[in-house]
Amino acid sequence: MQTVETLNEGLKRAYTLTITAKDIDAKVDAEVKRVAPQVRMPGFRPGKVPVNLVRKMHGESLAQDALNSAIQQGIQDLMAEKQLRPAMQPSVELGEGYERGKDAEVKIALEVLPQVPAPAIDALTLERLTVPVADEAIDEQLKKFSEGQKRWDDAGDKAAEQGDLVTVDFVGKTADGVAFEGGTGTDMGVEIGSGRLIPGFEDQIVGVKAGEEKQISVTFPEDYQAKELAGQPATFDLVIKSVKTAGESKIDDDMAKNLGLESLDQLRGLIKGQIEQDHNGLTRTHMKRKLLDQLADGHDFEVPPSMVEAEFAQIWSQLEHEATHEADPEKAKAEMEAEREDYQKIAERRVRLGLLLSEIGQANGIEVNAQEMNRLIAQAAQQYNAEDRQRFMQYVQQEPMAAAQLRAPLYEDKVVDFLFGKAEITDRETTREELEAAIESEDGFATGTHIHNHDDDHHGHDHDHHGHDHAAEAAATEVAEPKSKAKKATAKTEEAVADSGTDAAPTKKPRAKKAAPVDAETQVTEASPVAAENAEGAQAADAPVKKPRAKKAKAETAGE
């Protein structure tokens, strides 16, 4: 086998491998001898089929397998000899005009990882902004719990007022009097003044009494989720089933017991713990932003364009998806285009930070152990139904890309925690509002990363298997919570307040968020497939071979 380097420019490399027909024939001979004892043919005893007949029957497929095996071996040898660390999966193409019995010319093109300078981590300084939990914050949450446990008393003949709960049956109709799909429901509870329904609906049932029938007219919002109704006038025929008024709700031990707790003090303790957890998450996010800012400011080296392009594609795809949910998608896309260059810089920054964090993790022996990985897989499997969980777990164990995506967030957290331990940290108390503002400021712009963690010996694998045993990781982005005005402690109770439960209710469409600067309010990337490919060392020896236009050779990957 002969190897000729055809390109060495920056991080780009290209080679031509020439695999002789003699080498390919030798592999065919070896494969024929291996499979001959297993071949069954009428007229011959098992395992006694002549080798020449085996070659005649299966020669074409065996030759293709032999060529593919030779290509894979050639790529492995090339990577080892040249000490190449692919940034992405190499491009592998069989030369034009290849025919069986002739030498095979294979073209390989790739980008290699840069030599990352030893990261400067001994002079890191960070400020830890902490938010104490005030009694007023706990009282606010208790009040919301109390409101969520309202006692509704029958109002009798009383006309409905603001704050009352009206239960109705309804039939929605278009302007021409035809009932529309999903517009019919029974026993829907409407708390007047809650703002849960489309504009005008709640206001028009003020004054109704139990047993009455009423028709109301509304216009659906322009951004209503059912496009055929968006912006259209409609009527609703209502039958008023009951009117109820809110009884007094007390914040006491009884309220706590209704939630399955022993006392009000226990409830206060749980709420305090949840608020502390929320604050700690914001504190960590802010510290991580500042940490990554320092790393980015202190290091500048060339990164593989293919990795940047792949990262940018991931960001852009997410932004395009978000734009489709805007009130004016075309305007949102135009704003994106105006900021395209900024997002390109964000992608480059993420790749560089990922390589830096990878280098730090490798140099300091940071890894995700088997027990932690099993826990990650088990947690991810919970999103599937019982019959699919085992299949998912087997898939992750067999597919290194999927495993890298699961492993990535924990690996990044470990590297970040290591750096926190190295940094000089000062503490300062602040308010939640100030902490959120600091997170959303331009100072913390675009701190998402993707770690590319590579071992020096990551090419020494048995490529007869799909698994690869190198410790490469793809890191997920950890970003700020978007203002987080809804407190976690009351989420379940607030859901319980809306007791209608009908899908047919003319509810408001939640406003789509504006596509904000990356990492300011929007989590643009997680453990992207692109990053997973990077993490797995590009699986150089398993790179798919492009088929030439000549039909004779079909060199595919070994395992496919």
Side-chain angles (χ1 to χ4, degrees), residues 28 31 54-55 57-67 100:
V28 172
E31 189 66 12
V54 175
R55 184 186 295 274
M57 290 173 57
H58 303 286
E60 186 66 31
S61 62
L62 291 176
Q64 290 182 7
D65 291 343
L67 173 61
R100 183 178 172 185

Side-chain angles (χ1 to χ4, degrees), residues 332-559:
K333 289 179 180 179
E335 291 175 352
M336 285 168 49
E337 288 292 344
E339 298 173 345
R340 176 182 284 269
E341 186 175 343
D342 290 336
Y343 289 118
Q344 288 278 8
K345 292 178 181 177
I346 290 168
E348 181 177 338
R349 171 189 164 104
R350 287 186 171 185
V351 171
R352 184 174 290 109
L353 281 170
L355 293 171
L356 278 169
L357 292 180
S358 169
E359 196 72 19
I360 294 168
Q362 288 286 319
N364 294 280
I366 297 171
E367 61 180 18
V368 175
N369 61 40
Q371 182 178 1
E372 292 168 331
M373 192 64 202
N374 289 336
R375 184 169 64 249
L376 291 173
I377 295 173
Q379 290 172 347
Q382 295 304 309
Q383 65 183 300
Y384 298 95
N385 55 41
E387 54 268 27
D388 290 335
R389 286 175 190 167
Q390 187 61 36
R391 187 165 52 183
F392 166 77
M393 295 174 73
Q394 291 175 348
Y395 167 75
V396 172
Q397 291 167 353
Q398 295 171 358
E399 292 295 331
M401 297 293 186
Q405 288 181 329
L406 286 179
R407 189 187 300 117
L410 179 57
Y411 183 83
E412 180 174 292
D413 280 344
K414 285 190 163 193
V415 176
V416 168
D417 285 338
F418 169 78
L419 292 173
F420 284 165
K422 298 283 290 183
E424 180 183 337
I425 299 176
T426 57
D427 291 285
R428 177 168 67 88
E429 283 192 4
T430 185
T431 64
R432 182 187 179 104
E433 291 72 22
E434 182 182 349
L435 178 54
E436 288 179 339
I439 289 172
E440 295 168 5
S441 70
E442 289 295 322
D443 291 339
F445 185 68
T447 57
T449 67
H450 279 155
I451 290 181
H452 180 106
N453 189 11
H454 47 81
D455 285 336
D456 290 337
D457 62 346
H458 71 278
H459 294 295
H461 311 293
D462 178 4
H463 285 276
D464 290 335
H465 302 280
H466 289 293
H468 302 276
D469 191 28
H470 39 79
E473 311 293 346
T477 310
E478 180 175 305
V479 296
E481 294 182 5
K483 298 191 178 178
S484 197
K485 291 183 179 177
K487 304 295 189 291
K488 296 178 182 178
T490 61
K492 291 184 179 179
T493 303
E494 290 175 347
E495 289 176 7
V497 172
D499 62 345
S500 65
T502 174
D503 293 334
T507 55
K508 281 186 176 180
K509 175 183 181 292
R511 288 185 59 82
K513 283 188 178 180
K514 185 176 184 295
V518 179
D519 232 11
E521 288 191 351
T522 307
Q523 182 167 340
V524 175
T525 55
E526 297 177 355
S528 72
V530 166
E533 288 184 23
N534 299 341
E536 290 303 322
Q539 301 187 43
D542 285 338
V545 182
K546 292 182 181 179
K547 291 186 290 183
R549 277 174 282 183
K551 297 181 180 179
K552 302 230 175 167
K554 183 182 179 184
E556 298 176 348
T557 57

Side-chain angles (χ1 to χ4, degrees), residues 235-278:
T235 61
F236 282 90
D237 296 333
L238 308 179
V239 176
I240 312 303
K241 305 289 281 294
S242 67
V243 176
K244 296 181 179 180
T245 59
E248 183 183 1
S249 57
K250 295 182 180 179
I251 300 176
D252 54 16
D253 286 343
D254 288 338
M255 184 186 78
K257 290 176 182 179
N258 287 338
L259 293 170
L261 303 176
E262 294 180 358
S263 65
L264 180 60
D265 286 342
Q266 185 183 11
L267 177 57
R268 290 184 68 91
L270 289 174
I271 292 174
K272 181 178 180 180
Q274 289 176 326
I275 296 175
E276 285 178 339
Q277 185 177 9
D278 192 23

Side-chain angles (χ1 to χ4, degrees), residues 198-200 204 217-222 229-234:
I198 58 177
Q204 293 182 67
S217 299
V218 297
T219 299
F220 283 96
E222 293 290 342
L229 298 175
Q232 299 299 310

Side-chain angles (χ1 to χ4, degrees), residues 172-192:
K173 300 178 181 179
T174 59
D176 55 5
V178 178
F180 53 82
E181 183 178 358
T184 301
T186 59
D187 295 327
M188 180 180 74
V190 181
E191 185 177 354
I192 302 176

Side-chain angles (χ1 to χ4, degrees), residues 73-383:
Q73 185 62 53
I75 296 173
Q76 290 184 50
D77 293 345
L78 171 66
M79 298 298 165
E81 178 187 349
K82 302 294 185 181
Q83 297 184 339
L84 300 175
R85 301 180 304 164
M88 299 284 284
Q89 200 171 66
S91 168
V92 182
E93 184 175 358
L94 184 61
E96 292 283 352
Y98 171 75
E99 296 181 3
R100 183 178 172 185
K102 293 184 177 181
D103 293 350
E105 188 178 85
V106 182
K107 297 178 180 180
I108 301 171
L110 70 155
E111 287 179 350
V112 297
L113 291 172
Q115 292 297 325
V116 180
I121 61 174
D122 293 329
L124 296 172
T125 59
L126 295 170
E127 183 179 49
R128 180 164 46 210
L129 300 182
T130 60
V131 181
V133 180
D135 288 339
E136 292 79 8
I138 299 175
D139 292 339
E140 181 183 348
Q141 299 309 309
L142 286 172
K143 182 178 178 182
K144 289 191 175 183
F145 270 114
S146 174
E147 291 174 349
Q149 292 206 329
K150 286 180 182 177
R151 186 183 76 249
W152 296 101
D153 299 325
D154 191 356
D157 291 335
K158 173 182 173 295
E161 300 176 356
Q162 289 287 330
D164 289 346
L165 180 67
V166 180
T167 302
V168 302
D169 294 346
F170 63 93
V171 178
K173 300 178 181 179
T174 59
D176 55 5
V178 178
F180 53 82
E181 183 178 358
T184 301
T186 59
D187 295 327
M188 180 180 74
V190 181
E191 185 177 354
I192 302 176
S194 67
R196 188 174 65 86
L197 304 184
I198 58 177
F201 194 105
E202 295 172 19
D203 293 340
Q204 293 182 67
I205 60 175
V206 171
V208 300
K209 296 182 179 180
E212 289 184 355
E213 295 185 5
K214 183 179 180 68
Q215 184 181 80
I216 63 175
S217 299
V218 297
T219 299
F220 283 96
E222 293 290 342
D223 59 350
Y224 194 69
Q225 61 264 38
K227 293 184 179 180
E228 67 277 10
L229 298 175
Q232 299 299 310
T235 61
F236 282 90
D237 296 333
L238 308 179
V239 176
I240 312 303
K241 305 289 281 294
S242 67
V243 176
K244 296 181 179 180
T245 59
E248 183 183 1
S249 57
K250 295 182 180 179
I251 300 176
D252 54 16
D253 286 343
D254 288 338
M255 184 186 78
K257 290 176 182 179
N258 287 338
L259 293 170
L261 303 176
E262 294 180 358
S263 65
L264 180 60
D265 286 342
Q266 185 183 11
L267 177 57
R268 290 184 68 91
L270 289 174
I271 292 174
K272 181 178 180 180
Q274 289 176 326
I275 296 175
E276 285 178 339
Q277 185 177 9
D278 192 23
H279 289 174
N280 291 341
L282 292 174
T283 296
R284 178 183 173 83
T285 295
H286 178 257
M287 284 181 64
K288 181 177 176 181
R289 283 175 174 270
K290 296 302 183 183
L291 169 68
L292 296 182
D293 283 346
Q294 289 186 47
L295 288 175
D297 292 343
H299 301 85
D300 186 18
F301 52 87
E302 184 181 8
V303 294
S306 60
M307 291 179 70
V308 175
E309 290 170 8
E311 183 65 25
F312 174 77
Q314 185 76 8
I315 294 173
W316 201 252
S317 175
Q318 180 66 25
L319 292 173
E320 286 182 325
H321 174 73
E322 291 174 1
T324 61
H325 296 286
E326 293 293 324
D328 188 345
E330 294 304 318
K331 180 180 178 182
K333 289 179 180 179
E335 291 175 352
M336 285 168 49
E337 288 292 344
E339 298 173 345
R340 176 182 284 269
E341 186 175 343
D342 290 336
Y343 289 118
Q344 288 278 8
K345 292 178 181 177
I346 290 168
E348 181 177 338
R349 171 189 164 104
R350 287 186 171 185
V351 171
R352 184 174 290 109
L353 281 170
L355 293 171
L356 278 169
L357 292 180
S358 169
E359 196 72 19
I360 294 168
Q362 288 286 319
N364 294 280
I366 297 171
E367 61 180 18
V368 175
N369 61 40
Q371 182 178 1
E372 292 168 331
M373 192 64 202
N374 289 336
R375 184 169 64 249
L376 291 173
I377 295 173
Q379 290 172 347
Q382 295 304 309
Q383 65 183 300

